[in-house]
Amino acid sequence: MTTNASDWYNQSLFVLGSTPITVARIAGLLTILLTAWWIALLIERGIQRLARHGSASSAAGPGVYAFSRILRYSIWIIGTIAGLNYIGLDLSGLALLTGAIGVGIGFGLQNIINNFVSGIILLLERTLKVGDFVDLESGVSGSVAEISMRYTRITTNRAVDIIVPNAEFINGRVTNWTYDNELRRLHIPFGVAYSSDKQLVREAGIAAAAIVPGGFSDATHQPDVWLVGFGDSALNFELAVWIGPELARRPGATTAQFIWALHDELLRRNIEIPFPQRDLHLRSGTFVLPRTEGETRETKPASDDDR
């Protein structure tokens, strides 16, 4: 019974090059791949854990993340090569490997390879890091939760995870609101009636900017109110305020807070907030209805509706 099991375990299934592939070799390949995967994961988590509990500053966090991810991918590649060598696939010559990659690209692996290379570029250049708040050209916006081998996971402010291919960050336009953790200026548009006092409008805007917690103001970063245009029913203004990275990660909620405070300040100063309306003007006059044989009917006032 033991002999039969041993024979089956070492029985050749097929021949790869000059090497017979047996169940034992396949089991060894899987063991090597799983071990490499497990070791890479442990090393990555260990490095990140040491960085969190060590003396490293917060600025070193993105570098540690990038290093641990690249090290993890390197261990995967080394483990894969070792496993392929174990089953007898000779990788000393690059002709077979190049041919296999070329065939894979021809059959649709170009997107996978493109996303993988893009992920490596993102980790090395550090133009994108975990915790950044980004707006993509496709309309996706949220915080970067993970930069993986093929994709980047974006968590929106509605707690929805969106999987974005890494190539989109390389080939498309990306707005990174927290790239260097500095201040950002936010513009909140609003309109008031033409009869409003512009100085009072400016006073209301400055007061609203001071009410919202998290806004920033110093000698060189002051909130301001700009008159930006003449609308059909209103004078168009913008409230320009400076905010830090925490508020920048919640642009929708931040804008709503400033609009709320701005509305309160405008009402407090009796500044009218207009709405679309039309004025109808009636003009007096007469018109004549012709009749047959040259006779005319009585006249009556004409309105704009009749015209």
Side-chain angles (χ1 to χ4, degrees), residues 29-40:
L29 172 63
L30 294 177
T31 301
I32 293 174
L33 294 179
L34 291 176
T35 302
W37 188 284
W38 179 69
I39 292 176

Side-chain angles (χ1 to χ4, degrees), residues 114-128 136-137 152 164-174:
N114 186 21
N115 289 323
F116 175 77
V117 174
S118 298
I120 297 297
I121 294 174
L122 290 175
L123 292 172
L124 291 177
E125 292 185 345
R126 293 175 57 186
T127 54
L128 191 72
L136 304 185
E137 192 172 2
T152 295
V164 181
N166 288 330
E168 186 170 337
F169 292 91
I170 301 298
N171 301 325
R173 176 187 58 80
V174 179

Side-chain angles (χ1 to χ4, degrees), residues 184-220:
R184 296 291 180 265
R185 187 161 65 183
L186 189 65
H187 292 254
I188 297 96
F190 66 99
V192 299
Y194 271 94
S195 59
S196 302
D197 186 334
K198 295 188 293 294
Q199 293 301 324
L200 281 180
V201 174
R202 186 176 189 275
E203 179 184 310
I206 300 299
I211 291 175
V212 177
F216 186 83
S217 177
D218 61 9
T220 57

Side-chain angles (χ1 to χ4, degrees), residues 70-138:
I70 293 175
L71 183 61
R72 178 181 180 179
Y73 298 157
S74 300
I75 295 175
W76 286 354
I77 294 174
I78 293 173
T80 301
I81 293 176
L84 294 177
N85 278 326
Y86 174 78
I87 65 172
L89 184 61
D90 185 10
L91 298 180
S92 60
L94 296 179
L96 180 61
L97 181 60
T98 303
I101 294 176
V103 172
I105 292 176
F107 280 98
L109 290 180
Q110 65 271 23
N111 289 332
I112 297 177
I113 295 176
N114 186 21
N115 289 323
F116 175 77
V117 174
S118 298
I120 297 297
I121 294 174
L122 290 175
L123 292 172
L124 291 177
E125 292 185 345
R126 293 175 57 186
T127 54
L128 191 72
K129 56 186 181 294
V130 173
D132 282 348
F133 189 90
V134 296
D135 281 326
L136 304 185
E137 192 172 2
S138 60

